[in-house]
Amino acid sequence: MGRLRKRQFRIPGRTRGRLKRKIHKAGRRSGGRRRGLRQQGGPDGQVRSAATVQLAGRAFEAGKQTAPLIDVDAAGRAQALNNCWNDWRESFPIRTASWTVYHDIARHFVQGFESGKGIRLNNPVLVPTRKTIGAVVTAMNEEKALPAVLDQLGRLPLSEIVIVVNGSTDRTFWSARTLSGGIVVHFVRPLGHDVGRAVGAKLTRSDILLFLDGDFPVFAEHLVPFVDAVDQGTDVALNDISPYIDVFANRDPVSVVKEMLNRSLGRADLEANSMTAVPHALSRRALETIGCANLMVPPKAQSIAVRSGLKVGCAMSVDVISRNRIRAKNSGHDNPVAHLIVGDHLEALSYLLRAEGPRLSSVDDIRNRSVLGRVSS
């Protein structure tokens, strides 16, 4: 890798000239060479700065130089490519850029690797960490949706994937077994809400764990911020659903009780965000502190995390509300799933009351409760 690092900081003359011509051409189209030197339009319609374009060119050349170092047929090719990407990107301020810019530059690195190898990969997504990443997916009668979920997860450099199939009457198990290449745990009977996450987590060994459901896919690019948040020190990285819920006066009981619990924990900043929603990510420390069994009741697990001093925060906003699969049990004003989630939060509040007393962390400095006791004695 030493030789690679030495060569990666310069762009060959041919590539540099091609980039300059593109920038100048963009400048003429936009009304002037000076403007063209500052920015260039990308294939997705977004405007990229000249510095970003230059960095993308460097990433392409670095990926091309990486090609001879990685065996095409190696089982750990994704992890090896990701490690080479991290060796290169640490020399540049890519982490501080927007995620759009990050993925653009990472994509050029992959394209350079493909060019050097003369192969085409399955549109892999590179992540800014060397830590091992695992995914836990729960699925019940998701024969049609699960392949798309696994396809997106397959784009990430995962070290392991655990799929917990339970209570399925369709071919969900066979889809998981054929497409995942990971561990498939099969229960004939339904496990109930969130129990599959606890079962899957117990079988993992990775440093960072992603939790998803099998009912709809989440783009791999949208999962990277969760991985990055844990890599940067967050123990519980939540999905920020705040942009997708109504104002407080119009919220459903589930959203209200979620925010109530967070305020009881002294974390009003978390608003209505909860481990009940996917995707979310946990560090290995969080899993060991919370305990796999407590993942069966996500609000209680979140309460344990906050009380234990773990770092809990939001990583990304993924719309799981409008995309959530409508079923008889989770639709309507008064449905069984809503009752279950409210009950989970009441269980979490009960845990807090036992741990911190009837007033939780609030102190009563106004009432002198001892006076009545002395008068009556």
Side-chain angles (χ1 to χ4, degrees):
M1 293 302 296
R3 186 175 181 182
L4 172 61
R5 289 178 179 175
K6 183 177 179 181
R7 297 181 59 191
Q8 65 191 4
F9 296 103
R10 66 176 187 271
I11 305 178
R14 181 178 301 176
T15 303
R16 186 184 299 111
R18 185 166 61 251
L19 287 173
K20 285 184 176 180
R21 288 193 296 273
K22 284 185 176 181
I23 295 172
H24 292 170
K25 186 176 180 181
R28 289 193 296 271
R29 287 198 303 266
S30 61
R33 178 181 176 186
R34 186 177 179 182
R35 182 179 177 185
L37 287 172
R38 291 199 308 268
Q39 58 188 26
Q40 179 184 6
D44 55 2
Q46 295 186 352
V47 176
R48 295 179 175 86
S49 67
T52 301
V53 173
Q54 186 181 47
L55 202 54
R58 291 186 177 186
F60 182 90
E61 292 301 320
K64 195 171 183 178
Q65 295 170 19
T66 299
L69 306 177
I70 301 177
D71 184 5
V72 175
D73 299 323
R77 181 179 61 196
Q79 287 81 3
L81 181 60
N82 197 72
N83 288 336
C84 290
W85 157 250
N86 282 290
D87 288 338
W88 179 81
R89 69 155 185 91
E90 288 175 350
S91 303
F92 301 97
I94 299 174
R95 184 187 289 275
T96 59
S98 67
W99 285 115
T100 300
V101 172
Y102 171 89
H103 289 302
D104 183 35
I105 296 172
R107 184 168 58 250
H108 279 80
F109 187 90
V110 172
Q111 290 172 353
F113 175 81
E114 292 175 330
S115 176
K117 276 294 187 185
I119 61 173
R120 290 297 301 272
L121 303 178
N122 184 30
N123 195 18
V125 172
L126 304 177
V127 295
T129 182
R130 291 188 178 85
K131 295 179 180 177
T132 55
I133 308 168
V136 176
V137 181
T138 57
M140 178 179 173
N141 290 329
E142 303 294 354
E143 175 186 358
K144 296 181 179 179
L146 188 60
V149 174
L150 298 178
D151 182 64
Q152 290 300 319
L153 286 175
R155 298 173 60 204
L156 294 169
L158 299 179
S159 298
E160 59 184 350
I161 179 171
V162 179
I163 306 173
V164 182
V165 180
N166 64 102
S168 294
T169 57
D170 61 2
R171 294 182 59 83
T172 299
F173 169 74
W174 298 106
S175 294
R177 187 174 181 180
T178 305
L179 301 174
S180 69
I183 298 175
V184 180
V185 185
H186 184 220
F187 293 88
V188 177
R189 295 182 178 180
L191 293 177
H193 212 58
D194 302 314
V195 177
R197 297 183 197 173
V199 172
K202 194 171 184 179
L203 299 174
T204 62
R205 297 292 181 269
S206 299
D207 301 320
I208 301 172
L209 291 179
L210 289 166
F211 291 86
L212 302 98
D213 289 339
D215 51 357
F216 62 87
V218 177
F219 286 116
E221 288 86 353
H222 294 170
L223 295 174
V224 173
F226 294 91
V227 173
D228 181 64
V230 176
D231 180 67
Q232 294 299 297
T234 300
D235 293 298
V236 181
L238 301 175
N239 180 16
D240 183 9
I241 63 171
S242 301
Y244 311 111
I245 59 178
D246 208 339
V247 295
F248 187 84
N250 298 329
R251 288 182 187 173
D252 59 283
V254 170
S255 298
V256 171
V257 77
K258 286 179 179 179
E259 185 159 355
M260 177 184 174
L261 177 63
N262 286 332
R263 288 181 178 273
S264 300
L265 288 166
R267 292 298 307 273
D269 58 298
L270 294 177
E271 300 183 35
N273 298 308
S274 169
M275 287 178 64
T276 300
V278 292
H280 60 261
L282 298 180
S283 66
R284 175 55 51 178
R285 182 175 74 149
L287 186 62
E288 294 173 352
T289 302
I290 295 170
C292 292
N294 287 317
L295 295 181
M296 291 187 291
V297 185
K300 182 180 179 182
Q302 185 164 326
S303 301
I304 294 172
V306 173
R307 290 199 69 251
S308 301
L310 297 178
K311 187 175 180 181
V312 181
C314 297
M316 175 79 175
S317 291
V318 178
D319 183 7
V320 297
I321 296 178
S322 63
R323 300 178 63 191
N324 192 23
R325 182 177 170 185
I326 303 300
R327 298 179 174 89
K329 291 184 178 181
N330 68 357
S331 59
H333 180 71
D334 192 25
N335 63 79
V337 173
H339 285 180
L340 174 68
I341 296 176
V342 171
D344 286 350
H345 284 77
L346 293 176
E347 183 175 342
L349 286 169
S350 176
Y351 157 77
L352 288 178
L353 291 171
R354 291 194 305 271
E356 300 183 6
R359 295 185 62 84
L360 299 180
S361 58
S362 299
V363 179
D364 186 1
D365 292 327
I366 298 177
R367 299 183 184 90
N368 189 348
R369 296 171 183 254
S370 63
V371 172
L372 182 59
R374 288 201 302 269
V375 171
S376 60
S377 59

